[in-house]
């Protein structure tokens, strides 16, 4: 589908209001501990500045009105976007000005006086309830900062918030567009969901099957193979009458799990569950552990990683795939003892990519895993969107994308 990006405009003389995702992790002194999200927005900002445009950045940082201090007041020190100004200036190589309120007089004075080549960052949008409510009046005020609206915040594209969606209503069609990050996210996700070269294998893992059911259902008609690992696999084993010991299970999803397996069989989509597990006697790195078949886990033991037979089978399927989508770890990879399965899958995805497959890794913990194993640059694309990416693969239309794409 057509994606209108910032390449469609020469920004000379324009003021671009850019929704970025600067919701970065901070340490106890409020220093940025991972600046990937800021880095990801740099190409968009630089193109606009280079054209001779000016930039007004807006973002959220945490949930200040929901995560109050113990005394019930708002934690400004933790949630002010001032915390990211220095790092943003450093990455852009120019001084970024800061407006202490996103719709206050000072902010409008700063954006009005902004010259070509200059950048201001507005204060955290979520200091206003209106942001998450998608309030039209608030969105209209925000729109006064710039004559062009650019959305480069894929991570919040699944939210119909004022700055991610509603604000677009206040711009004509030729003055609202996607930044480079957002465009890349959409393009790569579409490559998997709309035009996957076959065989297409989706690898889904993680803890909760309930979070992933809609994706599985949406992928069944598209994928040749769906590999299911991690804690969510045990719900499928129990649904089929297997003994899963004290492994993670969602008893209220047993019926859905059965239905999903039947649907896949009817559509000719192969669902691969791990035949064996590394089981442990407690949820800890120093637990006693051993191998067990997944339909016969002894009482008192829980599966915390996929086993050797599963690794072998999954690796084979992954290596023979031409398109790979990976979301969610195969086990509790945060503990060294239970990271082997996730690492093996990461390595198989990297090897398939090396052999010409297209691989997209996205959604939280699998991104952490490829980073941890040093394989992020060995896969085709690592998405920045957690929930947004998942919803895209559930087949939902993301409001932040629709607002621009129509
Ligand atoms: P999710 O956010 O649903 O993708 O889940 C990611 C989390 O699932 C990670 O923190 C993993 O440690 C956890 N996880 C993966 N496999 C298992 C398992 N077999 N038992 C318990 N937790 C698991």
């Amino acid at each position: 589908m057509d994606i209108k990006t910032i390449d469609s405009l020469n920004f000379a003389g324009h003021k671009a209001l850019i929704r970025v995702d600067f919701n970065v992790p901070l340490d106890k002194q409020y220093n940025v501990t991972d600046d990937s999200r800021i880095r990801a927005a740099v190409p968009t900002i630089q193109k606009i500045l280079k054209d001779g445009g000016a930039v007004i950045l807006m973002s959220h940082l945490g949930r200040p009105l929901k995560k109050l201090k113990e005394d019930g007041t708002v934690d400004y020190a933790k949630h002010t976007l001032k915390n990211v100004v220095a790092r943003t200036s450093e990455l852009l190589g120019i001084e970024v000005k800061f407006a202490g309120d996103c719709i206050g007089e000072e902010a409008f004075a700063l954006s009005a006086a902004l010259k070509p080549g200059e950048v201001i960052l507005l204060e955290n949008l979520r200091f206003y309830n209106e942001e998450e409510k998608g309030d039209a009046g608030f969105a209209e005020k925000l729109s006064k900062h710039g004559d062009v609206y650019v959305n480069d915040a894929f991570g919040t594209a699944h939210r119909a918030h004022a700055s991610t969606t509603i604000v677009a209503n206040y711009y004509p069609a030729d003055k609202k567009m996607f930044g480079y990050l957002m465009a890349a996210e959409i393009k790569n996700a579409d490559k998997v969901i709309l035009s996957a070269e076959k065989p297409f294998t989706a690898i889904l893992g993680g803890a909760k099957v309930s979070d992933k059911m809609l994706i599985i259902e949406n992928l069944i008609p598209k994928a040749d193979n769906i590999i299911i690992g991690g804690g969510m696999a045990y719900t499928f084993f129990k649904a089929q009458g297997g003994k899963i010991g004290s492994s993670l299970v969602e008893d209220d999803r047993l019926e859905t799990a059965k239905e999903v397996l039947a649907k896949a069989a009817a559509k000719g989509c192969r669902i691969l569950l791990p035949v064996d597990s590394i089981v442990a006697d407690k949820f800890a790195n120093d637990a006693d552990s051993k191998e067990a078949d997944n339909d016969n886990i002894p009482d008192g033991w829980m599966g915390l990683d996929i086993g050797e037979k599963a690794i072998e089978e999954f690796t084979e399927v992954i290596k023979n795939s031409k398109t790979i989508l990976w979301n969610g770890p195969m086990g509790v990879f945060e503990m060294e003892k239970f990271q082997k399965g996730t690492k093996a899958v990461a390595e198989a995805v990297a090897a398939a990519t090396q052999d010409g497959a297209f691989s997209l890794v996205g959604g939280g913990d699998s991104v952490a895993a490829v980073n941890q194993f040093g394989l992020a640059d060995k896969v085709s694309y690592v998405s920045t969107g957690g929930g947004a990416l998942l919803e895209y693969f559930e087949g939902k239309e993301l409001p932040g994308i629709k607002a621009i794409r129509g």
Side-chain angles (χ1 to χ4, degrees), residues 205-208 211-212 230-231 234 248 283 303-304 328-332 334 365:
K208 291 181 81 185
D211 290 347
K212 311 282 161 84
Y234 303 101
L248 214 57
F283 190 83
L304 295 185
M330 296 292 101
V332 186
E334 299 93 334
D365 278 325

Side-chain angles (χ1 to χ4, degrees), residues 122-197:
L122 304 179
E123 180 58 292
N124 192 347
L125 297 157
R126 290 196 188 165
F127 281 136
Y128 286 87
N129 257 322
E130 287 84 347
E131 163 64 0
E132 290 194 64
K133 280 197 189 134
D135 183 82
F138 179 69
E140 188 178 9
K141 279 187 197 156
L142 288 173
S143 75
K144 306 283 184 218
H145 282 296
D147 65 316
V148 185
Y149 170 64
V150 176
N151 191 347
D152 212 18
F154 184 67
T156 47
H158 56 318
R159 308 282 184 219
H161 294 170
S163 69
T164 62
T165 303
I166 314 301
V167 68
N169 295 338
Y170 300 95
Y171 291 86
D174 63 338
K175 294 284 161 36
K176 48 186 165 189
M177 55 199 71
F178 296 116
Y180 291 139
L181 171 67
M182 188 90 162
E185 293 279 356
I186 298 170
K187 197 177 108 226
N188 285 299
D190 280 351
K191 204 162 162 173
V192 170
I193 206 85
L194 300 179
S195 55
E197 199 184 331

Side-chain angles (χ1 to χ4, degrees), residues 333 364-373:
F333 74 104
D365 278 325
S366 30
V367 175
V370 288
N371 283 328
Q372 184 177 319
F373 304 131

Side-chain angles (χ1 to χ4, degrees), residues 257-336:
K258 266 196 238 169
E259 282 163 27
V260 161
L261 292 173
K263 236 184 242 174
K267 291 265 181 200
C269 169
R270 193 170 160 219
I271 301 245
L272 289 105
L273 291 163
V275 287
D276 56 350
S277 275
I278 305 297
V279 296
D281 61 352
K282 58 179 177 180
F283 190 83
N285 202 31
D286 64 351
D288 269 342
S289 65
K290 58 183 183 183
E291 296 207 356
D293 281 340
N294 265 343
D295 51 2
N296 202 8
I297 296 177
D299 287 342
W301 293 75
M302 62 184 87
L304 295 185
D305 195 5
I306 57 172
E308 288 297 334
K309 287 181 251 174
I311 288 181
E312 203 176 308
E313 191 185 12
F314 289 1
T315 301
E316 184 67 21
V317 170
I318 293 167
K319 284 193 177 160
N320 286 317
S321 303
K322 283 273 167 253
T323 305
I324 301 161
L325 166 69
W326 182 19
N327 168 268
M330 296 292 101
V332 186
F333 74 104
E334 299 93 334
M335 298 182 197
E336 206 189 335

